Amino acid sequence: MPTIATIVGARPQFIKAAVVSRAFREHRPAVREVLVHTGQHYDANMSDIFFAELDIPRPDYHLGIGGGTHGQNTGRMIEAIEGVLLRQRPDWVLVYGDTDSTLAGALAAVKLHIPVAHVEAGLRSFNRRMPEEINRVLTDHAADLLFTPTDTATRNLTHEGMAGEKVQQVGDVMYDAALYYGERAEQRSRILDTLGLVANRYILVTLHRAENTDDPERMRNILAGFAESPQPIVWPLHPRTRKRLADFGLTLPDTVQVIDPVGYLDMVMLEKHAALIATDSGGVQKEAYFHRVPCLTLREETEWVELVEAGANRLVGTAPAAIGEGLAQAGATGRNPTAGLYGMGDAGVRIGEILSALAA
């Protein structure tokens, strides 16, 4: 039976893997998937709960690697993943996104001459100071098969000399997930009642990128912008961000309600019913669009340029005045239109069919 080794390690990858893993399970003839969790996100609220909520099979391997620097994590992951691949001898290795786990999985595989497929290929922020940018560029150039989500991503690869059958534009698996899990969240999540929130009367914040959280001046400016919010801010606080705030001696403004990280279905509900989302996450920018919620991106650039061009997303950086001005418009602009920027909601099925045929 053909075997595909899937490498995951961070929260967004669990969601993407859920879509494609379901396609593998439903595909005939059968494909065996070996799921490898690097442990990059090792907090239970940031990993374990997702396997239960998203119906992902439990990992076949949990490597337990996390908490170090980018170099430490990547090196340890390469060594551990190589050991798994030597034992399993998969026909393909499948990686997602732009994390240290993504790059480690790709490097471990290519050194063993195992072909690599990269889901969410071709994204570029053109900011080489971002670890994620280095991860995605190197992974794309190492991979044998590149699944792109958008026209822009496909063009980026063409400009870098990658084209032909190696590049398959399939749409975005996150759109698949939004369609599949949106209704489930409405049925199962009680997060709005638990937090006493009124739909379209709060702003949702997510913040985790090192370029923001590791810079005390940028964090101070972001908090100053949050202080100007006319609506209450709900902020599921990443453990790493919480530690940085304490290290820098920064206090949160009264407009902010901090909560612990939540499960995926609760996060979907918070996103769907927010008046506005402010984030530095690439994935959350798209999820805001899928749920037709206006988005402010707390960065100077984004991989998802089509969202800015469509008017669904505004880049505001970390200037307090720009953040405050953007937050003041929460709920005033109405819901974003959906324009089919990310495929037809069948990316997972298409990836499953292509990879299953190649593996066989």
Side-chain angles (χ1 to χ4, degrees):
M1 180 185 299
T3 299
I4 295 171
T6 295
I7 313 296
V8 294
R11 170 182 172 144
Q13 294 170 329
F14 303 150
I15 303 163
K16 298 165 191 173
V19 173
V20 180
S21 294
R22 188 166 60 252
F24 285 147
R25 293 197 300 271
E26 295 173 354
H27 192 271
R28 294 293 179 271
V31 175
R32 174 174 173 259
E33 183 181 27
V34 176
L35 195 60
V36 182
H37 176 16
T38 67
Q40 183 172 339
H41 279 177
Y42 50 91
D43 184 286
N45 287 328
M46 300 294 284
S47 58
D48 291 351
I49 189 170
F50 290 93
F51 289 96
E53 286 192 340
L54 276 65
D55 297 328
I56 306 175
R58 302 301 301 176
D60 298 283
Y61 294 88
H62 193 305
L63 306 181
I65 299 168
T69 66
H70 286 290
Q72 290 170 337
N73 285 345
T74 305
R76 293 167 184 164
M77 288 176 192
I78 292 172
E79 181 178 9
I81 293 169
E82 181 181 66
V84 173
L85 299 182
L86 286 171
R87 285 191 292 274
Q88 293 292 329
R89 296 290 179 180
D91 298 280
W92 280 81
V93 167
L94 179 60
V95 296
Y96 293 83
D98 55 18
T99 68
D100 293 342
S101 301
T102 309
L103 180 59
L107 291 176
V110 297
K111 294 289 187 179
L112 297 174
H113 307 292
I114 301 171
V116 175
H118 183 202
V119 174
E120 214 171 68
L123 302 186
R124 298 292 184 267
S125 69
F126 302 102
N127 178 1
R128 289 296 182 98
R129 292 182 60 84
M130 293 174 56
E132 295 87 354
E133 181 78 351
I134 300 302
N135 290 341
R136 63 173 74 105
V137 169
L138 294 179
T139 299
D140 281 344
H141 282 266
D144 301 272
L145 183 59
L146 300 165
F147 292 115
T148 61
T150 63
D151 293 338
T152 302
T154 301
R155 285 196 299 270
N156 287 338
L157 293 178
T158 300
H159 292 158
E160 295 176 20
M162 291 172 279
E165 293 186 359
K166 177 178 183 176
V167 179
Q168 298 286 332
Q169 185 171 328
V170 295
D172 197 315
V173 292
M174 292 296 285
Y175 184 38
D176 297 29
L179 295 175
Y180 186 82
Y181 294 108
E183 185 60 34
R184 180 178 294 194
E186 293 283 356
Q187 296 171 353
R188 299 188 183 183
S189 174
R190 299 293 177 266
I191 190 71
L192 299 187
D193 292 339
T194 300
L195 298 178
L197 298 174
V198 178
N200 207 39
R201 293 292 184 270
Y202 65 91
I203 292 166
L204 178 65
V205 162
T206 78
L207 200 69
H208 75 278
R209 289 193 182 271
E211 64 188 272
N212 285 329
T213 60
D214 290 356
D215 187 324
E217 186 62 28
R218 290 176 72 90
M219 288 300 293
R220 189 175 293 109
N221 288 340
I222 289 170
L223 296 181
F226 289 171
E228 302 301 317
S229 176
Q231 295 197 41
I233 291 173
V234 177
W235 187 357
L237 195 57
H238 191 290
R240 186 173 180 278
T241 308
R242 186 188 295 271
K243 182 178 185 304
R244 286 293 182 266
L245 290 172
D247 291 343
F248 299 148
L250 298 176
T251 57
L252 298 172
D254 294 338
T255 54
V256 175
Q257 176 185 355
V258 167
I259 62 174
D260 289 331
V262 297
Y264 180 59
L265 297 183
D266 283 342
M267 190 64 180
V268 168
M269 279 295 286
L270 290 172
E271 290 174 343
K272 288 184 69 173
H273 296 287
L276 180 141
I277 295 173
T279 186
D280 63 3
S281 162
V284 174
Q285 292 173 52
K286 288 186 299 174
E287 288 168 350
Y289 171 77
F290 298 152
H291 301 308
R292 304 178 62 193
V293 176
C295 183
L296 297 182
T297 296
L298 307 174
R299 291 162 51 188
E300 279 70 35
E301 73 287 307
T302 179
E303 315 83 273
W304 305 105
V305 293
E306 58 277 348
L307 293 178
V308 177
E309 294 169 354
N313 186 5
R314 288 180 57 194
L315 293 173
V316 295
T318 58
I323 295 173
E325 178 187 351
L327 296 178
Q329 298 178 12
T333 57
R335 314 301 278 186
N336 286 332
T338 53
L341 295 176
Y342 296 100
M344 304 299 293
D346 61 350
V349 171
R350 295 177 67 184
I351 291 169
E353 289 176 347
I354 293 168
L355 264 184
S356 296
L358 289 172

